[in-house]
Amino acid sequence: MLLTELLHPGILEALAGAGHGARVLLADGHYPASTATGPRTRTVQLNLAPGLLDVTTVLDVLLRALPVEAAHVMVPPEGEPEPPAIAEYRSMLAPVPVGTLGRFEFYDAARSPDLALTVVTADIRTYANLLLTIGVRAEETRESR
């Protein structure tokens, strides 16, 4: 039995094979995951019913399971207000930098061969997509374990 609260076998397998610099896409329910993801990604579908599982919930669990060194969000066209989900992600990820990408720039970034995992959620908020870059694990001494 694992001690971590993250128990999904597919997610664990993808994260175990990913290293520093690999990316994880947390996609909302509107994201075109079949066409806008990298060629090596492991896709996990968690979209059982609209709104049942959102990106924020998945992010909360992942932040306790892996180091994140950077993140990117998809933003609406210039002149439109920033969606509330983005402010929520910035708060949860602080002090990790959160960059912004337009819709098609975000799709291009998610098509990277560095995308190790795509988690498709049932988040119905617009522009709720989040692209994480995995960091490095802090060194531990034998005494600190």
CSV table of all heavy atoms in Angstrom, one decimal, residues 51-102:
chain,number,residue,atom,x,y,z
A,51,GLY,N,-18.2,19.0,-14.6
A,51,GLY,CA,-18.0,19.7,-13.3
A,51,GLY,C,-17.7,18.7,-12.2
A,51,GLY,O,-17.4,19.2,-11.1
A,52,LEU,N,-17.7,17.4,-12.4
A,52,LEU,CA,-17.5,16.5,-11.2
A,52,LEU,C,-16.1,16.5,-10.7
A,52,LEU,O,-15.9,16.5,-9.5
A,52,LEU,CB,-17.9,15.1,-11.7
A,52,LEU,CG,-17.9,14.1,-10.6
A,52,LEU,CD1,-18.9,14.5,-9.5
A,52,LEU,CD2,-18.2,12.7,-11.1
A,53,LEU,N,-15.1,16.7,-11.5
A,53,LEU,CA,-13.7,16.8,-11.1
A,53,LEU,C,-13.1,17.9,-11.9
A,53,LEU,O,-13.0,17.9,-13.1
A,53,LEU,CB,-13.0,15.4,-11.3
A,53,LEU,CG,-11.6,15.4,-10.8
A,53,LEU,CD1,-11.5,15.5,-9.3
A,53,LEU,CD2,-10.9,14.1,-11.3
A,54,ASP,N,-12.5,18.9,-11.2
A,54,ASP,CA,-11.9,20.0,-11.8
A,54,ASP,C,-10.4,20.0,-11.7
A,54,ASP,O,-9.8,19.2,-11.0
A,54,ASP,CB,-12.5,21.3,-11.4
A,54,ASP,CG,-12.3,21.6,-9.9
A,54,ASP,OD1,-11.4,21.0,-9.3
A,54,ASP,OD2,-13.0,22.5,-9.3
A,55,VAL,N,-9.8,20.9,-12.5
A,55,VAL,CA,-8.3,21.0,-12.5
A,55,VAL,C,-7.8,21.4,-11.2
A,55,VAL,O,-6.8,20.9,-10.7
A,55,VAL,CB,-7.9,22.1,-13.6
A,55,VAL,CG1,-6.4,22.4,-13.5
A,55,VAL,CG2,-8.3,21.6,-15.0
A,56,THR,N,-8.5,22.2,-10.4
A,56,THR,CA,-8.0,22.7,-9.1
A,56,THR,C,-7.9,21.4,-8.2
A,56,THR,O,-6.9,21.3,-7.4
A,56,THR,CB,-9.0,23.7,-8.5
A,56,THR,OG1,-9.1,24.8,-9.4
A,56,THR,CG2,-8.5,24.1,-7.1
A,57,THR,N,-8.8,20.5,-8.2
A,57,THR,CA,-8.7,19.4,-7.3
A,57,THR,C,-7.6,18.5,-7.7
A,57,THR,O,-6.8,18.0,-6.8
A,57,THR,CB,-10.1,18.6,-7.5
A,57,THR,OG1,-11.1,19.4,-7.1
A,57,THR,CG2,-10.1,17.3,-6.6
A,58,VAL,N,-7.3,18.3,-9.0
A,58,VAL,CA,-6.2,17.5,-9.4
A,58,VAL,C,-4.9,18.2,-9.1
A,58,VAL,O,-4.0,17.5,-8.6
A,58,VAL,CB,-6.3,17.2,-11.0
A,58,VAL,CG1,-5.1,16.4,-11.5
A,58,VAL,CG2,-7.6,16.4,-11.3
A,59,LEU,N,-4.8,19.5,-9.3
A,59,LEU,CA,-3.6,20.2,-9.0
A,59,LEU,C,-3.3,20.1,-7.5
A,59,LEU,O,-2.1,19.9,-7.1
A,59,LEU,CB,-3.8,21.7,-9.4
A,59,LEU,CG,-2.6,22.6,-9.0
A,59,LEU,CD1,-1.3,22.2,-9.7
A,59,LEU,CD2,-3.0,24.1,-9.3
A,60,ASP,N,-4.3,20.2,-6.7
A,60,ASP,CA,-4.1,20.1,-5.2
A,60,ASP,C,-3.4,18.8,-4.8
A,60,ASP,O,-2.4,18.8,-4.0
A,60,ASP,CB,-5.4,20.2,-4.5
A,60,ASP,CG,-5.3,20.2,-3.0
A,60,ASP,OD1,-4.5,21.0,-2.5
A,60,ASP,OD2,-6.0,19.5,-2.3
A,61,VAL,N,-3.8,17.7,-5.4
A,61,VAL,CA,-3.2,16.4,-5.1
A,61,VAL,C,-1.8,16.3,-5.7
A,61,VAL,O,-0.8,15.9,-5.1
A,61,VAL,CB,-4.0,15.2,-5.6
A,61,VAL,CG1,-3.3,13.9,-5.5
A,61,VAL,CG2,-5.4,15.2,-4.9
A,62,LEU,N,-1.6,16.8,-7.0
A,62,LEU,CA,-0.3,16.7,-7.6
A,62,LEU,C,0.8,17.5,-6.9
A,62,LEU,O,1.9,17.1,-6.9
A,62,LEU,CB,-0.4,17.1,-9.1
A,62,LEU,CG,-1.1,16.2,-10.1
A,62,LEU,CD1,-1.1,16.7,-11.5
A,62,LEU,CD2,-0.5,14.8,-10.0
A,63,LEU,N,0.4,18.7,-6.4
A,63,LEU,CA,1.4,19.5,-5.7
A,63,LEU,C,2.0,18.9,-4.5
A,63,LEU,O,3.0,19.2,-4.0
A,63,LEU,CB,0.7,20.9,-5.3
A,63,LEU,CG,0.5,21.8,-6.5
A,63,LEU,CD1,-0.2,23.1,-6.0
A,63,LEU,CD2,1.8,22.1,-7.2
A,64,ARG,N,1.3,17.9,-3.9
A,64,ARG,CA,1.8,17.1,-2.8
A,64,ARG,C,2.6,15.9,-3.3
A,64,ARG,O,3.2,15.2,-2.4
A,64,ARG,CB,0.7,16.7,-1.8
A,64,ARG,CG,0.1,17.9,-1.1
A,64,ARG,CD,-0.8,17.5,0.0
A,64,ARG,NE,-2.0,16.9,-0.4
A,64,ARG,CZ,-3.1,17.5,-0.9
A,64,ARG,NH1,-3.1,18.9,-1.0
A,64,ARG,NH2,-4.2,16.9,-1.2
A,65,ALA,N,2.6,15.7,-4.6
A,65,ALA,CA,3.3,14.5,-5.1
A,65,ALA,C,4.5,14.8,-6.0
A,65,ALA,O,5.4,13.9,-6.2
A,65,ALA,CB,2.3,13.6,-5.9
A,66,LEU,N,4.7,16.0,-6.5
A,66,LEU,CA,5.8,16.3,-7.4
A,66,LEU,C,6.2,17.7,-7.3
A,66,LEU,O,5.4,18.6,-7.0
A,66,LEU,CB,5.4,15.9,-8.8
A,66,LEU,CG,4.5,16.9,-9.6
A,66,LEU,CD1,5.0,17.0,-11.0
A,66,LEU,CD2,3.1,16.3,-9.6
A,67,PRO,N,7.5,18.0,-7.5
A,67,PRO,CA,8.0,19.4,-7.5
A,67,PRO,C,7.6,20.1,-8.8
A,67,PRO,O,7.7,19.5,-9.9
A,67,PRO,CB,9.5,19.2,-7.4
A,67,PRO,CG,9.8,17.9,-8.0
A,67,PRO,CD,8.6,17.0,-7.7
A,68,VAL,N,7.2,21.3,-8.8
A,68,VAL,CA,6.8,22.1,-9.9
A,68,VAL,C,7.7,23.3,-10.0
A,68,VAL,O,7.8,24.0,-9.0
A,68,VAL,CB,5.3,22.5,-9.9
A,68,VAL,CG1,5.0,23.4,-11.1
A,68,VAL,CG2,4.4,21.3,-9.9
A,69,GLU,N,8.4,23.5,-11.2
A,69,GLU,CA,9.3,24.6,-11.3
A,69,GLU,C,8.7,25.8,-12.1
A,69,GLU,O,9.2,26.9,-12.0
A,69,GLU,CB,10.6,24.2,-11.8
A,69,GLU,CG,10.7,23.8,-13.3
A,69,GLU,CD,12.1,23.5,-13.8
A,69,GLU,OE1,13.0,23.2,-13.0
A,69,GLU,OE2,12.3,23.6,-15.0
A,70,ALA,N,7.7,25.5,-12.9
A,70,ALA,CA,7.1,26.5,-13.7
A,70,ALA,C,5.7,26.0,-14.1
A,70,ALA,O,5.4,24.8,-14.1
A,70,ALA,CB,7.9,26.8,-14.9
A,71,ALA,N,4.9,27.0,-14.5
A,71,ALA,CA,3.5,26.7,-15.0
A,71,ALA,C,3.1,27.7,-16.1
A,71,ALA,O,3.6,28.8,-16.1
A,71,ALA,CB,2.5,26.7,-13.9
A,72,HIS,N,2.2,27.2,-16.9
A,72,HIS,CA,1.7,28.1,-18.0
A,72,HIS,C,0.1,27.9,-18.0
A,72,HIS,O,-0.3,26.8,-17.8
A,72,HIS,CB,2.2,27.9,-19.3
A,72,HIS,CG,3.6,28.3,-19.5
A,72,HIS,ND1,4.7,27.6,-19.1
A,72,HIS,CD2,4.1,29.5,-19.9
A,72,HIS,CE1,5.8,28.3,-19.3
A,72,HIS,NE2,5.5,29.5,-19.8
A,73,VAL,N,-0.6,29.0,-18.2
A,73,VAL,CA,-2.0,29.0,-18.3
A,73,VAL,C,-2.4,29.5,-19.7
A,73,VAL,O,-1.7,30.2,-20.4
A,73,VAL,CB,-2.7,29.8,-17.3
A,73,VAL,CG1,-2.5,29.2,-15.9
A,73,VAL,CG2,-2.2,31.3,-17.3
A,74,MET,N,-3.6,29.1,-20.2
A,74,MET,CA,-4.1,29.5,-21.4
A,74,MET,C,-5.0,30.8,-21.1
A,74,MET,O,-5.8,30.7,-20.2
A,74,MET,CB,-5.0,28.5,-22.1
A,74,MET,CG,-5.7,28.9,-23.4
A,74,MET,SD,-6.9,27.7,-23.9
A,74,MET,CE,-5.9,26.3,-24.4
A,75,VAL,N,-4.7,31.9,-21.8
A,75,VAL,CA,-5.5,33.1,-21.5
A,75,VAL,C,-6.4,33.4,-22.7
A,75,VAL,O,-6.1,33.1,-23.9
A,75,VAL,CB,-4.6,34.3,-21.2
A,75,VAL,CG1,-3.9,34.0,-19.9
A,75,VAL,CG2,-3.6,34.5,-22.3
A,76,PRO,N,-7.5,34.1,-22.4
A,76,PRO,CA,-8.4,34.6,-23.5
A,76,PRO,C,-7.7,35.7,-24.4
A,76,PRO,O,-6.7,36.2,-24.0
A,76,PRO,CB,-9.6,35.1,-22.8
A,76,PRO,CG,-9.2,35.4,-21.4
A,76,PRO,CD,-8.0,34.5,-21.1
A,77,PRO,N,-8.3,36.0,-25.5
A,77,PRO,CA,-7.8,37.1,-26.3
A,77,PRO,C,-7.7,38.4,-25.5
A,77,PRO,O,-8.4,38.6,-24.6
A,77,PRO,CB,-8.8,37.2,-27.4
A,77,PRO,CG,-9.6,35.9,-27.5
A,77,PRO,CD,-9.5,35.4,-26.1
A,78,GLU,N,-6.8,39.2,-26.0
A,78,GLU,CA,-6.5,40.5,-25.3
A,78,GLU,C,-7.8,41.3,-25.2
A,78,GLU,O,-8.6,41.3,-26.2
A,78,GLU,CB,-5.5,41.3,-26.1
A,78,GLU,CG,-4.9,42.5,-25.4
A,78,GLU,CD,-3.8,43.1,-26.1
A,78,GLU,OE1,-3.0,42.4,-26.7
A,78,GLU,OE2,-3.7,44.4,-26.1
A,79,GLY,N,-8.0,42.0,-24.1
A,79,GLY,CA,-9.2,42.8,-23.9
A,79,GLY,C,-10.2,42.0,-23.1
A,79,GLY,O,-11.1,42.7,-22.5
A,80,GLU,N,-10.2,40.7,-23.0
A,80,GLU,CA,-11.1,39.9,-22.2
A,80,GLU,C,-10.5,39.8,-20.8
A,80,GLU,O,-9.3,39.7,-20.6
A,80,GLU,CB,-11.4,38.6,-22.8
A,80,GLU,CG,-12.2,38.6,-24.1
A,80,GLU,CD,-12.5,37.3,-24.6
A,80,GLU,OE1,-12.7,36.3,-23.8
A,80,GLU,OE2,-12.6,37.1,-25.8
A,81,PRO,N,-11.3,39.7,-19.8
A,81,PRO,CA,-10.8,39.6,-18.4
A,81,PRO,C,-10.2,38.2,-18.2
A,81,PRO,O,-10.5,37.3,-18.8
A,81,PRO,CB,-12.1,39.8,-17.5
A,81,PRO,CG,-13.2,39.5,-18.4
A,81,PRO,CD,-12.8,39.8,-19.8
A,82,GLU,N,-9.2,38.2,-17.2
A,82,GLU,CA,-8.6,37.0,-16.9
A,82,GLU,C,-9.6,36.1,-16.1
A,82,GLU,O,-10.2,36.5,-15.2
A,82,GLU,CB,-7.4,37.2,-16.0
A,82,GLU,CG,-6.6,36.0,-15.7
A,82,GLU,CD,-5.3,36.3,-14.9
A,82,GLU,OE1,-5.4,36.3,-13.7
A,82,GLU,OE2,-4.3,36.5,-15.6
A,83,PRO,N,-9.7,34.8,-16.5
A,83,PRO,CA,-10.7,33.9,-15.9
A,83,PRO,C,-10.3,33.7,-14.4
A,83,PRO,O,-9.1,33.6,-14.1
A,83,PRO,CB,-10.5,32.6,-16.7
A,83,PRO,CG,-10.0,33.1,-18.0
A,83,PRO,CD,-9.1,34.2,-17.7
A,84,PRO,N,-11.3,33.5,-13.5
A,84,PRO,CA,-11.0,33.3,-12.1
A,84,PRO,C,-10.1,32.1,-11.8
A,84,PRO,O,-9.3,32.1,-10.9
A,84,PRO,CB,-12.4,33.1,-11.5
A,84,PRO,CG,-13.3,33.7,-12.5
A,84,PRO,CD,-12.7,33.6,-13.8
A,85,ALA,N,-10.2,31.0,-12.7
A,85,ALA,CA,-9.3,29.8,-12.5
A,85,ALA,C,-7.9,30.2,-12.4
A,85,ALA,O,-7.1,29.6,-11.7
A,85,ALA,CB,-9.6,28.8,-13.5
A,86,ILE,N,-7.5,31.2,-13.2
A,86,ILE,CA,-6.0,31.5,-13.3
A,86,ILE,C,-5.5,32.1,-12.0
A,86,ILE,O,-4.5,31.8,-11.5
A,86,ILE,CB,-5.8,32.4,-14.5
A,86,ILE,CG1,-6.1,31.7,-15.8
A,86,ILE,CG2,-4.4,33.0,-14.5
A,86,ILE,CD1,-6.0,32.5,-17.1
A,87,ALA,N,-6.3,33.0,-11.4
A,87,ALA,CA,-6.0,33.6,-10.1
A,87,ALA,C,-5.8,32.5,-9.1
A,87,ALA,O,-4.9,32.5,-8.2
A,87,ALA,CB,-7.0,34.6,-9.7
A,88,GLU,N,-6.7,31.5,-9.1
A,88,GLU,CA,-6.7,30.4,-8.2
A,88,GLU,C,-5.4,29.6,-8.4
A,88,GLU,O,-4.7,29.2,-7.4
A,88,GLU,CB,-7.9,29.5,-8.5
A,88,GLU,CG,-8.1,28.4,-7.5
A,88,GLU,CD,-9.4,27.7,-7.7
A,88,GLU,OE1,-9.4,26.7,-8.5
A,88,GLU,OE2,-10.5,28.2,-7.2
A,89,TYR,N,-5.0,29.3,-9.6
A,89,TYR,CA,-3.7,28.6,-9.9
A,89,TYR,C,-2.5,29.4,-9.4
A,89,TYR,O,-1.6,28.8,-8.8
A,89,TYR,CB,-3.6,28.3,-11.4
A,89,TYR,CG,-4.7,27.5,-12.0
A,89,TYR,CD1,-4.9,27.6,-13.3
A,89,TYR,CD2,-5.5,26.7,-11.2
A,89,TYR,CE1,-5.9,26.8,-13.9
A,89,TYR,CE2,-6.5,25.9,-11.8
A,89,TYR,CZ,-6.8,26.0,-13.2
A,89,TYR,OH,-7.8,25.3,-13.7
A,90,ARG,N,-2.5,30.7,-9.6
A,90,ARG,CA,-1.4,31.5,-9.2
A,90,ARG,C,-1.2,31.4,-7.7
A,90,ARG,O,-0.1,31.3,-7.1
A,90,ARG,CB,-1.6,33.0,-9.6
A,90,ARG,CG,-1.4,33.2,-11.1
A,90,ARG,CD,-1.5,34.7,-11.3
A,90,ARG,NE,-1.8,35.0,-12.7
A,90,ARG,CZ,-1.0,35.0,-13.7
A,90,ARG,NH1,0.3,34.6,-13.5
A,90,ARG,NH2,-1.4,35.3,-14.9
A,91,SER,N,-2.3,31.5,-7.0
A,91,SER,CA,-2.3,31.4,-5.5
A,91,SER,C,-1.8,30.0,-5.0
A,91,SER,O,-1.0,29.9,-4.1
A,91,SER,CB,-3.7,31.6,-5.0
A,91,SER,OG,-3.7,31.5,-3.6
A,92,MET,N,-2.3,29.0,-5.6
A,92,MET,CA,-1.9,27.6,-5.2
A,92,MET,C,-0.4,27.3,-5.6
A,92,MET,O,0.2,26.6,-4.9
A,92,MET,CB,-2.8,26.6,-5.9
A,92,MET,CG,-4.2,26.6,-5.5
A,92,MET,SD,-5.2,25.4,-6.4
A,92,MET,CE,-4.6,23.8,-5.8
A,93,LEU,N,0.1,27.9,-6.7
A,93,LEU,CA,1.4,27.6,-7.1
A,93,LEU,C,2.5,28.5,-6.6
A,93,LEU,O,3.7,28.2,-6.7
A,93,LEU,CB,1.5,27.6,-8.7
A,93,LEU,CG,0.8,26.5,-9.4
A,93,LEU,CD1,0.4,26.8,-10.8
A,93,LEU,CD2,1.6,25.2,-9.3
A,94,ALA,N,2.1,29.6,-6.0
A,94,ALA,CA,3.1,30.6,-5.5
A,94,ALA,C,4.2,29.9,-4.6
A,94,ALA,O,3.8,29.0,-3.8
A,94,ALA,CB,2.4,31.7,-4.7
A,95,PRO,N,5.4,30.2,-4.8
A,95,PRO,CA,6.0,31.2,-5.6
A,95,PRO,C,6.5,30.8,-7.0
A,95,PRO,O,7.2,31.5,-7.7
A,95,PRO,CB,7.3,31.6,-4.8
A,95,PRO,CG,7.7,30.2,-4.2
A,95,PRO,CD,6.4,29.5,-3.9
A,96,VAL,N,5.9,29.7,-7.5
A,96,VAL,CA,6.3,29.2,-8.8
A,96,VAL,C,5.8,30.2,-9.9
A,96,VAL,O,4.6,30.6,-9.8
A,96,VAL,CB,5.6,27.8,-9.0
A,96,VAL,CG1,5.8,27.3,-10.5
A,96,VAL,CG2,6.2,26.8,-8.1
A,97,PRO,N,6.6,30.5,-10.8
A,97,PRO,CA,6.2,31.5,-11.9
A,97,PRO,C,5.1,30.8,-12.8
A,97,PRO,O,5.2,29.7,-13.1
A,97,PRO,CB,7.4,31.8,-12.7
A,97,PRO,CG,8.4,30.7,-12.4
A,97,PRO,CD,8.0,30.1,-11.0
A,98,VAL,N,4.1,31.6,-13.1
A,98,VAL,CA,3.0,31.2,-13.9
A,98,VAL,C,2.9,32.1,-15.2
A,98,VAL,O,2.5,33.2,-15.1
A,98,VAL,CB,1.6,31.2,-13.2
A,98,VAL,CG1,0.5,30.8,-14.1
A,98,VAL,CG2,1.6,30.3,-11.9
A,99,GLY,N,3.3,31.5,-16.3
A,99,GLY,CA,3.4,32.3,-17.5
A,99,GLY,C,2.0,32.2,-18.2
A,99,GLY,O,1.2,31.3,-17.9
A,100,THR,N,1.8,33.1,-19.2
A,100,THR,CA,0.6,33.1,-20.0
A,100,THR,C,0.8,32.8,-21.4
A,100,THR,O,1.8,33.2,-22.0
A,100,THR,CB,-0.2,34.4,-19.8
A,100,THR,OG1,0.7,35.5,-20.3
A,100,THR,CG2,-0.6,34.7,-18.4
A,101,LEU,N,-0.1,32.0,-22.0
A,101,LEU,CA,0.0,31.7,-23.5
A,101,LEU,C,-1.4,31.9,-24.1
A,101,LEU,O,-2.4,31.5,-23.4
A,101,LEU,CB,0.5,30.3,-23.7
A,101,LEU,CG,1.9,29.9,-23.2
A,101,LEU,CD1,2.1,28.4,-23.3
A,101,LEU,CD2,2.9,30.6,-24.0
A,102,GLY,N,-1.4,32.4,-25.3
A,102,GLY,CA,-2.7,32.5,-26.0
A,102,GLY,C,-3.1,31.1,-26.3
A,102,GLY,O,-2.4,30.1,-26.2
